[in-house]
Amino acid sequence: MLSVHTSPLEQPGTGDAGGMNVYVLELSKALAERGAEVEIFTRATSSSQPVVVDVQPGIRVFHVPAGPFEGLDKNDLPGQLCAFTAGVLRAEAHRPEGWYDVVHTHYWLSGQAGWLAAERWDVPLVHTMHTMARIKNAALAPGDAPEPPGRIIGEEQVVAEADALVASTQSEADDLVRAYGADPARVHVVAPGVDLGTFHPEAEAEGDAEARRRGRAHLDLPADVPVVLFAGRVQLLKGPDVLVRALPLLGPDVRLVVLGGASGRPTAVRELEALAHQCGVRDRVLVHPPVSRDQLADWYRTADVVAVPSHNESFGLVAAEAQACGTPVVAAAVGGLRTVVLDDVTGLLVDGHDPAAWAKSLGRVLDDHALRERLAQGAAGSAHRFSWATAADAMLDVYAEARRTHHGRA
């Protein structure tokens, strides 16, 4: 696997680390459990990183030097793809001939590097987009910068060259065909999973107010006030500003917890805090750095509702994880969130990003105990829809089909 711009070993929730990091690592674990040997190549971002990390049996992560370790953001990386690809090819040169059976790339930058590697090794290229520039540009948040034309060209090239394209939802598959002219026969829908060993309701907490109070005390949250949780990178695309603007329209006791770090702009968190001050709710907004996966599950379980106001999501892993913890989700009716969140069953979907509409939907869940309990039960009951084991089985089928069609074209 190639993941150029972000390592699966990085902490999700800040910088460029997010759901894709979780996707690559958790999928690799599930593939390794099925006997696959997975080698992941990512760009080195520190001189202290080991060249190779053995994550667990069957999974190795290679840190490839490509450009300066620090000071480069995602938009600078196209100029380092040659150096990165050279590092990948050098690593393979030390292997026996035919070492790799398939190249699976994540995000368009990796697709560019993987295209050359797969052609050199005469193996199929499987690509997962994760996000698409054309789709993102069509749903920009106010003030957000569009993705550059060079990225769109790069994505078009990868779509044309890939033996198989993996979409997380049917909606994303349709976007690949409609917006990028992908061959429908090469597009496969494989839903990501949720680590149900980590993300699950606390058995003792179901209907147990005392358990929730204990959990909130552990996280330094008020015991008896409504809590809305946002978990993710603080950037315009993810829409945390929508929640800050909605907060004055909710009851005076409602708290908003923002669990994440700055992304895109180093000042993003300070800007969000300044917005809260302007809206008169600074004392009701708690911004907390990203946490481990186990701690994240605790935060999900202690919130009354998890809000996902993204302007675009190819899937919506936060929504899936929160629901697996038995917490209702209020999400934007965009992209994969329309598949992950079952409206009025596991949560509520909101059209658009008007703070008043968000306040109305959040208020419904917070104020109506019966509705909140019904959605919580529906959320927990739907968790089985997303499994990494199922995803790995489906991905192995995609790899096999890609190998068959690749050799058929050769």
Side-chain angles (χ1 to χ4, degrees):
M1 291 198 191
L2 303 188
S3 179
V4 172
H5 78 282
T6 182
S7 168
L9 304 182
E10 290 182 9
Q11 167 68 55
T14 189
D16 290 321
M20 194 181 95
N21 300 67
V22 177
Y23 181 110
V24 172
L25 185 58
E26 294 299 325
L27 176 62
S28 297
K29 289 179 180 178
L31 290 171
E33 289 172 359
R34 281 149 182 76
E37 296 285 332
V38 184
E39 295 186 349
I40 304 167
F41 291 84
T42 189
R43 194 180 77 87
T45 55
S46 170
S47 59
S48 63
Q49 286 175 320
V51 176
V52 181
V53 177
D54 289 309
V55 178
Q56 67 179 51
I59 303 176
R60 308 189 88 185
V61 173
F62 293 79
H63 293 109
V64 179
F69 293 122
E70 298 177 355
L72 294 182
D73 67 22
K74 195 161 52 178
N75 294 327
D76 298 320
L77 294 183
Q80 301 305 320
L81 288 179
C82 181
F84 180 85
T85 306
V88 173
L89 294 177
R90 287 192 198 103
E92 186 273 345
H94 295 285
R95 302 295 199 182
E97 185 176 354
W99 180 258
Y100 295 113
D101 298 298
V102 63
V103 174
H104 187 173
T105 55
H106 300 269
Y107 193 68
W108 78 277
L109 292 169
S110 302
Q112 288 282 313
W115 171 15
L116 298 179
E119 186 171 281
R120 169 68 179 81
W121 303 333
D122 192 23
V123 298
L125 173 64
V126 175
H127 182 69
T128 303
M129 297 290 281
H130 293 282
T131 64
M132 291 176 272
R134 281 202 171 106
I135 306 307
K136 182 178 176 182
N137 285 351
L140 283 178
D144 207 356
E147 294 296 318
R151 173 179 168 180
I152 296 174
I153 294 170
E155 289 177 340
E156 289 174 334
Q157 291 171 330
V158 173
V159 167
E161 292 298 325
D163 295 273
L165 294 160
V166 178
S168 294
T169 65
Q170 185 59 52
S171 174
E172 186 184 9
D174 294 341
D175 286 338
L176 277 166
V177 174
R178 175 184 56 81
Y180 286 84
D183 179 355
R186 297 191 195 180
V187 179
H188 308 265
V189 177
V190 178
V194 172
D195 177 5
L196 300 180
T198 299
F199 299 101
H200 56 80
E202 289 288 358
E204 65 171 338
E206 293 184 14
D208 185 354
E210 179 59 31
R212 174 164 289 196
R213 278 194 288 270
R214 290 196 301 269
R216 288 199 174 183
H218 177 68
L219 298 174
D220 293 325
L221 290 175
D224 299 319
V225 302
V227 173
V228 177
L229 174 65
F230 169 91
R233 289 169 288 165
V234 178
Q235 59 176 195
L236 291 173
L237 175 68
K238 299 296 183 180
D241 59 295
V242 175
L243 302 178
V244 172
R245 297 180 193 277
L247 195 56
L249 306 177
L250 295 168
D253 293 331
V254 177
R255 300 291 191 274
L256 170 63
V257 176
V258 176
L259 198 62
S263 178
R265 294 197 303 270
T267 58
V269 170
R270 295 199 298 275
E271 292 170 11
L272 190 69
E273 292 172 334
L275 176 63
H277 178 76
Q278 294 169 7
C279 293
V281 293
R282 182 63 191 89
D283 60 336
R284 294 165 55 193
V285 177
L286 170 65
V287 181
H288 194 287
V291 296
S292 69
R293 307 291 285 161
D294 288 338
Q295 291 175 307
L296 179 58
D298 289 338
W299 282 95
Y300 286 147
R301 285 189 283 260
T302 56
D304 292 286
V305 60
V306 170
V308 188
S310 302
H311 290 262
N312 178 249
E313 288 285 353
S314 60
F315 181 65
L317 192 59
V318 164
E321 292 173 344
Q323 290 177 168
C325 289
T327 303
V329 172
V330 174
V334 299
L337 290 170
R338 293 172 296 183
T339 298
V340 175
V341 179
L342 304 179
D343 195 28
D344 203 36
V345 176
T346 67
L348 300 179
L349 291 171
V350 183
D351 290 321
H353 295 83
D354 178 15
W358 276 83
K360 181 178 179 180
S361 292
L362 289 168
R364 280 187 61 199
V365 178
L366 295 173
D367 297 339
D368 188 336
H369 178 76
L371 172 63
R372 189 166 67 251
E373 287 300 308
R374 176 170 65 80
L375 295 177
Q377 292 175 10
S382 75
H384 66 279
R385 292 186 298 145
F386 305 114
S387 158
W388 285 117
T390 301
D393 288 338
M395 200 66 76
L396 288 171
D397 289 340
V398 172
Y399 295 162
E401 174 67 10
R403 284 175 58 80
R404 185 187 67 80
T405 57
H406 177 79
H407 295 302
R409 293 199 306 274

